[in-house]
Amino acid sequence: MTIDIKKIQKDMPLLDKYIYLNTAAASAMPQPVVDAMTSYIQKQASIGPYLPSFRQETYENIEIVREKSAILIGAKKEEIAFVPNGSMAVNFVSGGLQWEKGDEVIVLDTEMLSNYVPWLALEQQGVHLKIFKTNLNYMVDLDKLEKFITPKTKMIAFAHMSNASGAIQPAKEICQLAKQKNVLTLINANQTVGLIPIDVKDLDCDFLLTCGRKWLRGPEGSGILYVRQELIQTLTPIMIGWGSTNWDYRNNDYSFVTTAKRFEPGCPVIPSILGLGAAIDYANDIGIHAIHQQVKLLTTYLLEQLQSIEGIVIYGPQQVANRLSITPFNIKGISPDDVTNYLAQHGVIIEAGTFMANTIMERNSINKMARFSPHYFNTFKEIDIAISLIKELR
């Protein structure tokens, strides 16, 4: 399937002023996503949120989005919970499992804060957090991981793709190894859902999460948590509310619903969920496989062009086959903030920071890095413009 870049760019008002190369942080929403949200908000403002027929229609639409979300990642709708961000999804799992003193959790040394600190906090319960060191290409060596797992290991939690290296981990193989060892797996797919095809049944993971605001190009405040159906009732929700709970008032008792909706305690963030549904439709219309292939081409081209810059240091896997889009770099003698600020002054948006991946900063003896992360709506010409601007700083 060929991507109609002209049509896509017509759906992006931002392109009148900017070249946007920062999807790893959050993407620019296409106009149909904005329209889905504003249509609901305008209707709600016109008739109020609780006209019975409108409320019924709204909640039916939420369930349609739940079904779309499930199909997108190869799950059942009963396995999908809506969450406002990926961080909360991690906490629903880390806080909901039953832990015993001495249990171990393995995370990679490339994780950012939200898939590191929630597991670190479990040390207060006697859980031991173990940090697995990735290889020189920021990749998991499966043989070494197998030796790292012990009979006490209960969970391996890892990012499918690192936000500060661009390394794509062998997720299926990690999950297969974990399954053989009777270890649970959680995949942080914030940087891959909407960018590459995802099938949780093929991956055979136990938990998977993603926010909607990155590669799906959905709104802020949207996201999904997948929980394998057999595990749903083993997780105790860390929040309780009318959306997730059955209340037996007369007997002074309560129980949680038996689907992943037990992780939706209160009123859903309706505009964001409807926007997420529109974003999924938009991605499906283009085709996730087509998106993946286009971004692979852009990544290869970006790396080639960056290497023409004097003094550049590119972080992440050396083999382009092991990385996608996310391309962190520094230029000797120029601060990453100066790079991003200069580009912004000329209408090109990238980002500089630690990306809360402190272990990667420490590993490279740096305080910050700049980062490109093109998506399918970007072009080779836009990359050329960005590279030319950086060269002006030399």
Side-chain angles (χ1 to χ4, degrees):
M1 184 183 294
T2 302
I3 289 179
D4 186 347
I5 193 68
K6 290 184 178 179
K7 178 181 182 301
I8 289 164
Q9 291 192 333
K10 283 181 182 178
D11 289 332
M12 297 181 65
L14 148 152
L15 294 180
D16 292 339
K17 293 184 178 180
Y18 298 105
I19 293 171
Y20 194 83
L21 292 158
N22 193 26
T23 291
S27 196
M29 291 184 292
Q31 191 61 46
V33 173
V34 177
D35 292 345
M37 298 171 70
T38 55
S39 174
Y40 165 77
I41 292 169
Q42 186 58 58
K43 190 170 183 179
Q44 196 243 45
S46 300
I47 64 176
Y50 277 95
L51 180 69
S53 59
F54 178 52
R55 204 65 183 166
Q56 180 179 350
E57 173 192 337
T58 298
Y59 277 84
E60 287 173 353
N61 286 335
I62 288 173
E63 293 310 306
I64 290 172
V65 178
R66 193 184 308 278
E67 181 72 29
K68 290 178 181 178
S69 302
I71 293 170
L72 177 71
I73 63 169
K76 304 172 187 174
K77 67 177 183 179
E78 293 81 12
E79 298 173 314
I80 298 295
F82 292 119
V83 289
N85 50 63
S87 300
M88 186 170 287
V90 174
N91 280 273
F92 273 126
V93 179
S94 67
L97 286 169
Q98 305 305 305
W99 300 96
E100 295 181 4
K101 189 173 182 178
D103 283 344
E104 297 174 350
V105 176
I106 294 173
V107 300
L108 309 186
D109 66 350
T110 52
E111 299 301 321
M112 57 90 68
L113 185 153
S114 293
N115 197 35
Y116 188 113
V117 177
W119 308 107
L120 176 63
L122 294 175
E123 291 193 339
Q124 298 174 27
Q125 301 178 39
V127 176
H128 180 41
L129 179 64
K130 296 177 64 178
I131 313 304
F132 180 80
K133 188 174 181 179
T134 54
N135 65 22
L136 292 176
N137 284 308
Y138 302 82
M139 302 289 292
V140 168
D141 182 311
L142 293 166
D143 291 334
K144 289 183 178 179
L145 179 60
E146 183 172 12
K147 294 173 183 176
F148 201 66
I149 296 169
T150 77
K152 288 285 190 179
T153 305
K154 183 167 182 172
M155 168 71 75
I156 301 174
F158 65 98
H160 197 180
M161 180 163 70
S162 163
N163 71 326
S165 77
I168 304 174
Q169 300 299 343
K172 182 176 181 178
E173 291 76 8
I174 292 172
C175 293
Q176 286 175 338
L177 175 59
K179 186 73 67 178
Q180 292 168 13
K181 303 288 186 178
N182 198 30
V183 174
L184 298 170
T185 48
L186 177 143
I187 300 178
N188 175 355
N190 276 328
Q191 300 291 356
T192 50
V193 173
L195 180 57
I196 66 176
I198 299 287
D199 185 330
V200 293
K201 296 299 185 283
D202 182 57
L203 291 170
D204 205 15
C205 57
D206 296 299
F207 310 99
L208 182 140
L209 60 97
T210 186
C211 63
R213 70 191 182 110
K214 298 182 187 290
W215 303 95
L216 277 172
R217 302 184 65 203
E220 294 182 313
S222 66
I224 57 176
L225 168 63
Y226 158 79
V227 180
R228 186 194 294 271
Q229 191 164 32
E230 305 92 270
L231 295 173
I232 291 172
Q233 294 187 63
T234 69
L235 285 181
T236 301
I238 58 175
M239 301 172 68
I240 298 174
W242 64 265
S244 62
T245 312
N246 301 310
W247 185 19
D248 184 353
Y249 173 74
R250 294 187 181 279
N251 292 308
N252 200 31
D253 200 5
Y254 68 94
S255 63
F256 296 108
V257 298
T258 58
T259 69
K261 289 177 71 174
R262 62 170 47 201
F263 309 112
E264 299 175 16
C267 292
V269 186
I270 295 170
S272 290
I273 293 172
L274 297 180
L276 176 64
I280 292 170
D281 288 342
Y282 199 87
N284 284 335
D285 286 345
I286 297 167
I288 300 296
H289 286 279
I291 289 170
H292 185 201
Q293 293 305 312
Q294 181 66 14
V295 177
K296 284 170 67 175
L297 293 174
L298 290 166
T299 304
T300 300
Y301 186 77
L302 173 61
L303 287 165
E304 290 171 352
Q305 300 310 305
L306 281 171
Q307 287 163 358
S308 70
I309 299 173
E310 181 184 351
I312 195 159
V313 178
I314 299 173
Y315 307 104
Q318 296 302 305
Q319 295 80 19
V320 69
N322 292 331
R323 66 187 307 158
L324 191 63
S325 183
I326 294 173
T327 308
F329 68 97
N330 273 323
I331 302 171
K332 294 176 182 177
I334 304 175
S335 79
D337 287 328
D338 286 345
V339 174
T340 56
N341 290 337
Y342 186 74
L343 290 181
Q345 290 167 16
H346 292 80
V348 178
I349 308 301
I350 66 169
E351 190 172 5
T354 67
F355 309 110
M356 291 168 283
N358 299 63
T359 54
I360 291 181
M361 302 304 116
E362 182 178 44
R363 174 175 180 161
N364 291 286
S365 301
I366 58 176
N367 295 317
K368 278 186 175 183
M369 52 174 56
R371 181 183 70 183
F372 279 97
S373 51
H375 206 358
Y376 64 84
F377 54 77
N378 292 119
T379 65
F380 301 122
K381 181 179 179 181
E382 290 177 335
I383 290 172
D384 288 339
I385 291 170
I387 299 299
S388 296
L389 287 167
I390 292 173
K391 288 180 177 179
E392 291 177 8
L393 283 169
R394 295 302 304 167

